[in-house]
Amino acid sequence: MHTDLVAALDIGGTKIAGALVDRQGRILVRAQRPTPAREGGETVMRAVDAVLDELTASPLWQRAGAVGIGSAGPVDATAGTVSPVNVPGWRDYPLVSRVRTAAGGLPVELIGDGVAIAAAEHWQGAARGHDNALCMVVSTGVGGGLVLGGRLHPGPTGNAGHIGHISVDLDGDLCPCGSRGCVERIASGPNIARRALDNGWRPGPDGDTSAAAVAAAARAGDPVAVASFERAARALAAGIAATATLVEIDIAVIGGGVGKAGEVLFAPLRQALTEYATLSFVHRLAVTPAQMGTDAGLVGAAAAALARSADAAVAAV
Ligand SMILES: [Zn+2]
């Protein structure tokens, strides 16, 4: 059988997306269901099965050689299980074996959603051509993934690059993860908005208190809104500088809703990086907005499945 395609699943707290993807990263067939995130584990799995049923019904399914899954984390790629924070019905849920069964026994590759984004940006987006990159998603949470030595670096459990839970403020606020002063606790969209409100910023007549509304206020010159983005930028810069100093990345790519804020985020971020990334080998570190759109999770999951297929082909020689 000619298996030149892979199946991809992007599993998040709001939607479960699936696709058949070719070796150029083009999406040929897609399916999607809302995530019944507050339901029991088996109900959530039925939504995954419905997506897979649509894919396997396609005549192109015969050309699929592997399945890649990018899932909200934490994931455990070694055990083949997932425990997404925002899907309480899944704790150590055996997603890999369930998907393998539904997919007729195809090999299944599981990575965290941040790692999937990194795979997508490295394959087709802002990190293309960079052998050492950190790709981040800054939105409701802060996630990320690493490319090292030209290859995706998921780590043993598929969670490596989880920059949102690096502490950048030793005595800072408690984070839901149990640590203190995490990047996410300072730089996520809800925390940018919370800090602006705490310091006296007030929304416009529409009552919008999202980070996007704070970004709009910052662009209009509101000093409290500007300060909240500057604080987020410093937290991101400290985390990025630490990563660059540890593993010598040369580019950091920032996506997600907060990443779309533009220069109200990127200008103070680049300034703060000059303070935190000080050693000679991290001086040329670039920071740039993500290029991949809403399909990044699917494309990244496909990239991981293709990489696994390539490794298997090499091992078989
Ligand atoms: Zn944390």
Side-chain angles (χ1 to χ4, degrees):
M1 181 59 68
H2 187 52
T3 54
D4 58 337
L5 306 181
V6 291
L9 288 173
D10 176 19
I11 299 181
T14 56
K15 69 173 166 56
I16 295 162
L20 295 176
V21 183
D22 72 11
R23 288 177 185 274
Q24 283 72 49
R26 288 181 297 231
I27 291 177
L28 305 182
V29 178
R30 55 170 84 231
Q32 187 169 312
R33 292 287 186 282
T35 306
R38 296 290 137 197
E39 306 289 327
E42 289 310 304
T43 305
V44 181
M45 189 64 214
R46 276 196 287 279
V48 177
D49 284 336
V51 168
L52 283 168
D53 285 347
E54 266 191 55
L55 298 181
T56 57
S58 164
L60 293 179
W61 175 263
Q62 301 302 321
R63 289 162 54 189
V67 183
I69 307 173
S71 173
V75 304
D76 187 338
T78 306
T81 59
V82 300
S83 309
V85 173
N86 47 12
V87 185
W90 277 3
R91 287 295 172 267
D92 297 321
Y93 190 82
L95 182 63
V96 166
S97 66
R98 296 294 299 267
V99 168
R100 189 185 298 121
T101 301
L106 290 182
V108 176
E109 183 77 5
L110 170 66
I111 53 177
D113 51 3
V115 177
I117 299 292
E121 291 289 342
H122 182 237
W123 189 14
Q124 302 198 337
R128 186 164 32 180
H130 290 269
D131 283 346
N132 299 284
L134 167 69
C135 300
M136 306 173 62
V137 181
V138 185
S139 69
T140 311
V142 176
L146 289 165
V147 172
L148 299 177
R151 292 174 65 96
L152 192 63
H153 182 79
T157 67
N159 298 285
H162 213 120
I163 189 169
H165 297 285
I166 285 180
S167 179
V168 290
D169 184 0
L170 298 186
D171 304 309
D173 293 337
L174 268 176
C175 178
C177 78
S179 182
R180 278 188 185 278
C182 291
V183 171
E184 178 173 299
R185 188 69 179 80
I186 301 168
S188 74
N191 281 303
I192 290 171
R194 176 190 52 78
R195 186 170 47 249
L197 285 164
D198 285 352
N199 290 323
W201 174 76
R202 290 295 172 263
D206 60 0
D208 183 357
T209 57
S210 68
V214 180
R219 275 191 288 277
D222 183 295
V224 174
V226 167
S228 191
F229 265 90
E230 284 178 350
R231 178 81 179 149
R234 292 184 72 79
L236 292 171
I240 291 167
T243 307
T245 307
L246 274 178
V247 295
E248 295 198 48
I249 54 164
D250 55 45
I251 189 169
V253 175
I254 301 184
V258 173
K260 292 192 181 78
E263 285 304 296
V264 281
L265 178 72
F266 281 91
L269 176 48
R270 293 193 180 99
Q271 175 59 37
L273 265 181
T274 66
E275 296 175 42
Y276 293 122
T278 52
L279 298 176
S280 59
F281 59 90
V282 293
H283 269 168
R284 283 188 296 279
L285 176 62
V287 182
T288 186
Q291 291 179 357
M292 301 297 292
T294 51
D295 286 332
L298 281 174
V299 171
L306 284 167
R308 181 192 169 110
S309 304
D311 285 347
V314 169
V317 170

